[in-house]
Amino acid sequence: MLFALYGLAGKQSAGAPEKIVVSASRIANLGDGFARTWRRPPSEQELQGLIEDYIRDEVFYREGRAAGLDRDDVVIRRRVRQKMEFLAEDMSVPEPSDEQLVAYLASNAERFRAEDQITFHQVFLSATRRATTIEGDSKQVASVLARADAAVDATVLGDPFLLGAEFLGVSPNRVTSIFGEDFSKRIAAMETGRWQGPVASEFGQHFVFISERISGSLPLLDAVRPAVRREWASARRLEAEQKLYASLRGRYEIVVEAPPAKAASAEVGR
């Protein structure tokens, strides 16, 4: 199908390029549609994006019709464009080599990097249970923990916490989801190997002992091979579609007329 499509494109390109005219009234319609959706007129950049999208529609629509993609399906022009895009996506992507996947993994490290991990346990003082005494109780617990090591019975000094007193190998995102962003930022700056706090959260006061930190690292390919291959193939399909569109769009002479308001102001200026 692809060879037939490019063969057809080559025959047509021998003659004069077809003309796509984006009329002033069409531009006005595009702007009106945007305004109805977003309750405001489009900016210059947004209007240019609408025009480019319309041109893309027109290119794929005409090429789709030329390739006969509309003969078996009575649908609107966007559907024909989608067929052309699907055709580009269906281009066979060869099986990548390990070298290609390793290179893709290295160039997109942040997308596959394992998160940092932290292991800590806590002594918790509930803001609900100690509504009137939490400040005084916090000072007493701080005094005890200043002379203590990691082996502290949290149930004796503090209150029960729904998720327990120990958190093993949790990520910063997980800490944030449990305790809140301020708490996560505070313990991210704490030292390991000693009690620190109190650190406030919406639940109350927390005294924290950090026993271990593990920095996030880029995993080996074998550990993330399916995800890397999936994203590599997706990137190749997108690249193929962009190349197809660029080659087809180049066969057209694009004429973009000035919107009515601009045309009128230009006339006044003259």
Side-chain angles (χ1 to χ4, degrees):
M1 290 178 64
L2 287 175
F3 285 131
L5 179 62
Y6 279 111
L8 176 63
K11 291 178 182 179
Q12 291 182 352
S13 63
E18 293 187 47
K19 180 180 291 188
I20 294 177
V21 177
V22 186
S23 66
S25 60
R26 173 63 65 183
I27 295 173
N29 288 338
L30 293 174
D32 290 342
F34 183 98
R36 286 194 298 270
T37 301
W38 299 103
R39 307 293 183 183
R40 63 174 179 82
S43 66
E44 288 290 332
Q45 184 176 2
E46 289 167 338
L47 184 59
Q48 187 60 39
L50 294 173
I51 293 171
E52 284 297 324
D53 196 60
Y54 174 80
I55 294 170
R56 187 184 185 97
D57 267 348
E58 188 66 24
V59 169
F60 276 125
Y61 174 66
R62 294 189 186 187
E63 294 297 332
R65 289 192 61 185
L69 298 181
D70 62 329
R71 293 173 189 166
D72 59 348
D73 198 355
V74 183
V75 290
I76 59 174
R77 65 188 305 135
R78 184 167 292 275
R79 177 59 180 160
V80 176
R81 166 187 167 176
Q82 289 173 344
K83 283 188 173 182
M84 291 292 294
E85 291 175 334
F86 293 155
L87 179 62
E89 290 178 3
D90 286 340
M91 291 178 178
S92 59
V93 177
E95 187 65 26
S97 65
D98 279 5
E99 289 75 13
Q100 288 175 307
L101 293 181
V102 168
Y104 186 83
L105 177 61
S107 61
N108 297 273
E110 292 306 316
R111 298 167 67 174
F112 300 98
R113 185 180 299 278
E115 288 192 274
D116 295 344
Q117 293 184 344
I118 183 173
T119 294
F120 67 94
H121 55 283
Q122 66 167 343
V123 171
F124 170 61
L125 301 181
S126 170
T128 302
R129 293 190 177 192
R130 304 171 186 260
T132 59
T133 64
I134 191 168
E135 294 300 328
D137 293 347
S138 181
K139 291 179 181 178
Q140 293 182 11
V141 171
S143 177
V144 173
L145 293 177
R147 303 183 299 274
D149 57 16
V152 169
D153 189 347
T155 60
V156 174
L157 285 178
D159 302 315
F161 188 72
L162 181 62
L163 297 179
E166 291 190 74
F167 296 84
L168 306 176
V170 292
S171 68
N173 285 336
R174 177 62 175 159
V175 174
T176 299
S177 69
I178 297 173
F179 299 99
E181 188 173 356
D182 289 341
F183 182 97
S184 183
K185 289 180 178 178
R186 284 282 306 277
I187 71 168
M190 287 183 175
E191 301 175 7
T192 60
R194 67 182 184 89
W195 285 100
Q196 294 164 89
V199 182
S201 77
E202 62 178 312
F203 308 109
Q205 302 279 1
H206 308 257
F207 291 86
V208 178
F209 187 100
I210 300 174
S211 56
E212 184 181 29
R213 292 184 188 276
I214 300 176
S215 298
S217 59
L218 188 63
L220 297 175
L221 175 60
D222 287 342
V224 290
R225 181 184 293 274
V228 175
R229 194 204 178 286
R230 183 171 57 251
E231 293 206 19
W232 179 90
S234 177
R236 297 291 81 74
R237 283 193 294 268
L238 180 59
E239 181 182 350
E241 181 193 328
Q242 294 297 337
K243 286 182 177 179
L244 175 61
Y245 171 66
S247 66
L248 296 177
R249 191 181 191 279
R251 295 175 45 220
Y252 292 84
E253 177 187 352
I254 308 298
V255 178
V256 180
E257 295 181 355
K262 287 189 176 181
S265 61
E267 185 65 29
V268 172
R270 285 196 296 270

